[in-house]
Amino acid sequence: MKKLSEIETDVKFLTGSRQISLTDTDGLALVNRVYRRLAAALPWAEFRISDTSIVTVAAQENYSWPTAHVWRDVTLIEMHDAATVYKPVVECDEEYLWNLARREPAASFPRYYTRGRSAAAIEILFAPTPRFAGRTVRLTGHTEPTPLLQAEEPTVFLALSADDALAYLAAGAWADHDKGKGAGDDLRGGASRILSDLFGRDVLPAEL
């Protein structure tokens, strides 16, 4: 959980440039772009979350998608059953089956869920509609990192070596920008070696 200022110090050392700033507009854009890419490249526990902000309303089909996080993927959606035990809801990817389920009367537990857009909002929909109010919905998946905006903000990585890898990648991106494409390849190789040790497998620079 290094602070952005500490990562900036590392990037200056790795590139040999004292002029780099990761807290101005361009620097923030660069480091956050690299941060998001690193978060998406590997199965970090730090970005796996469960959200329980949705609670059913009797006979209501659609619910606003949670906006507290920027979701990269959703791996499981569950809902409390009558015994208040979480039970998976199956995603429906066939329009015909979805429309059949929507025509059924409200049920104690929905057969399917799907996602869609209504006006400017993303929604999750259940069919048949839940018969009972007060059932908690649990969404599990991976999110993008919250952008780093100030020098004293830390990353969410638990291992300092993950922050080291982020610094190598940011330095590589800076080198490409400053000296031309490919100038940061050796620095990305440094990140690759750190991440290979962390995850116990070869993490190639091309993945990053």
Side-chain angles (χ1 to χ4, degrees):
M1 298 183 74
K2 282 187 178 181
K3 298 176 183 177
L4 179 56
S5 59
E6 295 174 297
I7 292 171
E8 179 181 279
T9 299
D10 291 342
V11 170
K12 288 178 177 178
F13 174 78
L14 292 168
T15 59
S17 172
R18 307 300 299 175
Q19 306 305 313
I20 293 173
S21 171
L22 296 184
T23 55
D24 63 15
T25 301
D26 290 340
L28 286 171
L30 181 145
V31 74
N32 281 302
R33 184 167 60 249
V34 172
Y35 193 19
R36 288 191 299 271
R37 191 165 67 236
L38 180 55
L42 294 160
W44 301 96
E46 291 92 329
F47 299 106
R48 181 183 180 276
I49 69 160
S50 291
D51 182 286
T52 56
S53 60
I54 296 175
V55 178
T56 61
V57 176
Q60 179 174 310
E61 178 185 66
N62 57 311
Y63 300 82
S64 296
W65 189 256
T67 57
H69 309 279
V70 178
W71 294 80
R72 186 165 50 80
D73 62 38
V74 177
T75 55
L76 183 64
I77 293 183
E78 304 162 285
M79 184 184 291
H80 271 159
D81 63 11
T84 64
V85 173
Y86 282 114
K87 181 179 175 182
V89 185
V90 177
E91 182 175 15
C92 186
D93 55 6
E94 293 188 33
E95 202 67 35
Y96 176 72
L97 293 177
W98 174 252
N99 278 285
L100 286 179
R102 293 180 81 180
R103 295 175 185 149
E104 296 179 18
S108 59
F109 196 86
R111 183 175 304 116
Y112 300 120
Y113 81 87
T114 191
R115 295 166 65 188
R117 177 182 291 276
S118 175
I122 300 294
E123 296 181 325
I124 181 169
L125 302 90
F126 296 102
T129 56
R131 182 186 303 162
F132 302 107
R135 300 281 176 85
T136 301
V137 178
R138 181 166 67 184
L139 316 177
T140 301
H142 299 89
T143 63
E144 290 187 351
T146 302
L148 302 169
L149 300 176
Q150 298 178 17
E152 297 307 299
E153 285 189 71
T155 72
V156 300
F157 291 124
L158 299 177
L160 291 178
S161 53
D163 290 314
D164 294 340
L166 175 59
Y168 268 95
L169 291 172
W174 189 277
D176 284 346
H177 173 76
D178 189 49
K179 299 177 182 177
K181 188 175 180 180
D185 286 351
D186 287 345
L187 292 162
R188 279 184 287 276
S192 171
R193 289 187 290 275
I194 293 170
L195 295 169
S196 295
D197 289 341
L198 265 179
F199 285 90
R201 69 168 182 84
D202 288 338
V203 178
L204 303 177
E207 297 180 59
L208 308 172

